[in-house]
Amino acid sequence: MIEVSHLTKRYGSHLALDDLSFTIPEGQIYGLLGPNGAGKSTTMNILTGCLAATSGQVRIDGVDIFEDPMAAKKHLGYLPELPPLYMDRTPEEYLRFVARAKGVGDVPGELERVMALTQITDVKDRLIRNLSKGYRQRVGIAQAILGDPDIIILDEPTVGLDPRQITEIRELIQKLGENKTVILSSHILSEVQAVCDSILILSRGKLVACDTPDNLERLLTGGTALELEADTQPERLEKILGNLPGVTGLTVGETADKHAWARLETGKENLENLSKAVFFRFCDEKLPLLRLTPAKASLEDIFLELTGGKEA
Ligand code: ADP
Ligand code: MG
């Protein structure tokens, strides 16, 4: 378990982390999400004892990272943003070096375990410089999980990878998350949405949300919308949908296959009644509805709203 309370970090006059407090329970996959510069790497560097905080407390399984870093770090495996790989070594040589530095007991057995888990056994004798970015990232993850720590922290583990490599790393993270606590950072929402049990959203050094992906989706704005499509022109659709009770916004347009679509904004409690009213309007007009669906605010919208859009 990780307990962070009132964590603050200043770089000179720049406030990079502003009073962060959160708890990460055991055995879950947590996503630390935020645009570039939000403070993700700073947070991870402090959690792992690589960087001192300006103020605040971090406890790893009950041990204060600043008071007893050696004991706290035994629980942690860390893949930093720039993995510390030695390009002129093979994965096996490099991992053996890391295993010794970490004081791992059975080095050969542990090397075999992590190389099998990260599926790098086939490339263990090649120079790291000759490996693809995807394989290098696996070597970086292998170094993080050497010694079998209970908490694995991965800073942007999929950045710069192609879609197939991203899927592979994602599967690996899910596998690790089956019996470990995993924290990964990303500036891409879909990334954390796909693998994480909970998401922490950071914006300009502040924690702006912490919840499950589903709850975050539900949390937004209170309002909601209906979307529909019909085989007619946008102008007629606009007329048909005029003056419906409870509608706070109406947008119409044309789809690629020359149908008209509309989006009706309304309050959450009104969605069912509005669906019925729309249905009867179309009955009156003898115009078949091709589609009528509630539109959920996407997590993308929430993320942009919470982090102040792209300007962050
Ligand atoms: P993220 O990983 O979310 O992109 P960082 O934690 O790297 O964000 O950075 C947070 C903020 O702190 C940014 O504004 C960045 O420019 C600043 N920053 C990071 N490291 C340093 C440093 N060593 N010295 C000064 N400013 C820094
Ligand atoms: Mg970063």
Side-chain angles (χ1 to χ4, degrees):
M1 174 148 109
I2 302 178
E3 297 156 277
V4 172
S5 56
H6 302 294
L7 193 63
T8 297
K9 176 69 185 177
R10 283 179 190 282
Y11 293 110
S13 62
H14 178 66
L15 185 59
L17 295 183
D18 186 1
D19 198 32
L20 290 192
S21 296
F22 57 87
T23 302
I24 297 183
E26 248 153 69
Q28 293 219 329
I29 305 183
Y30 263 67
L32 188 56
L33 180 69
N36 289 327
K40 303 181 296 294
S41 298
T42 300
T43 305
M44 291 186 149
N45 281 330
I46 294 175
L47 291 187
T48 52
C50 298
L51 184 71
T54 305
S55 60
Q57 200 186 37
V58 175
R59 294 171 78 81
I60 309 289
D61 289 342
V63 183
D64 191 301
I65 189 93
F66 308 122
E67 279 170 14
D68 194 352
M70 287 296 275
K73 283 184 192 181
K74 285 217 177 349
H75 300 275
L76 295 170
Y78 183 29
L79 174 73
E81 196 162 27
L82 298 170
L85 299 177
Y86 298 132
M87 294 296 161
D88 294 331
R89 292 283 177 264
T90 67
E92 189 173 24
E93 289 166 344
Y94 167 68
L95 291 172
R96 186 177 301 122
F97 167 75
V98 176
R100 290 205 181 118
K102 283 192 179 183
V104 166
D106 168 22
V107 173
E110 184 60 2
L111 287 190
E112 201 171 304
R113 184 187 75 88
V114 301
M115 290 197 294
L117 193 58
T118 54
Q119 296 176 358
I120 55 172
T121 311
D122 291 351
V123 300
K124 71 185 168 68
D125 296 323
R126 284 203 227 162
L127 288 182
I128 292 178
R129 74 161 69 257
N130 296 330
L131 298 181
S132 68
K133 181 107 207 307
Y135 268 104
R136 284 185 203 175
Q137 203 65 332
R138 285 158 187 257
V139 176
I141 295 176
Q143 111 359 86
I145 63 179
L146 268 173
D148 204 20
D150 348 310
I151 300 169
I152 300 157
I153 299 186
L154 309 169
D155 196 356
E156 308 237 15
T158 58
V159 81
L161 302 184
D162 68 35
R164 190 178 50 85
Q165 294 168 332
I166 289 178
T167 310
E168 289 168 1
I169 295 289
R170 212 183 258 175
E171 284 167 5
L172 175 57
I173 291 169
Q174 271 164 333
K175 199 159 21 148
L176 295 174
E178 283 168 13
N179 45 19
K180 302 287 173 191
T181 305
V182 181
I183 309 173
L184 63 107
S185 70
S186 176
H187 60 281
I188 302 161
L189 176 79
S190 56
E191 194 58 49
V192 293
Q193 194 175 7
V195 295
C196 295
D197 301 307
S198 289
I199 302 180
L200 298 160
I201 302 182
L202 264 188
S203 172
R204 299 183 187 93
K206 280 198 170 67
L207 191 64
V208 291
C210 172
D211 218 325
T212 62
D214 284 352
N215 280 345
L216 281 174
E217 250 171 5
R218 259 180 244 132
L219 170 146
L220 185 78
T221 54
T224 185
L226 270 185
E227 285 177 354
L228 61 89
E229 199 178 315
D231 188 5
T232 182
Q233 300 77 39
E235 296 73 28
R236 182 166 172 222
L237 192 59
E238 193 166 7
K239 246 183 233 146
I240 296 172
L241 296 172
N243 300 321
L244 278 166
V247 173
T248 54
L250 171 62
T251 325
V252 294
E254 197 172 43
T255 67
D257 39 10
K258 300 278 172 203
H259 296 149
W261 62 265
R263 184 182 165 97
L264 297 144
E265 311 283 340
T266 184
K268 228 177 212 151
E269 61 296 332
N270 196 32
L271 204 57
E272 195 176 316
N273 286 336
L274 184 61
S275 298
K276 290 176 188 166
V278 167
F279 172 80
F280 287 121
R281 281 271 166 103
F282 275 77
C283 289
D284 292 345
E285 293 287 324
K286 296 209 163 25
L287 181 66
L289 259 172
L290 298 177
R291 182 167 72 87
L292 179 64
T293 44
K296 241 195 327 188
S298 76
L299 211 44
E300 196 80 42
D301 299 333
I302 303 171
F303 179 46
L304 289 176
E305 184 173 303
L306 290 174
T307 57
K310 291 192 180 90
E311 89 240 48

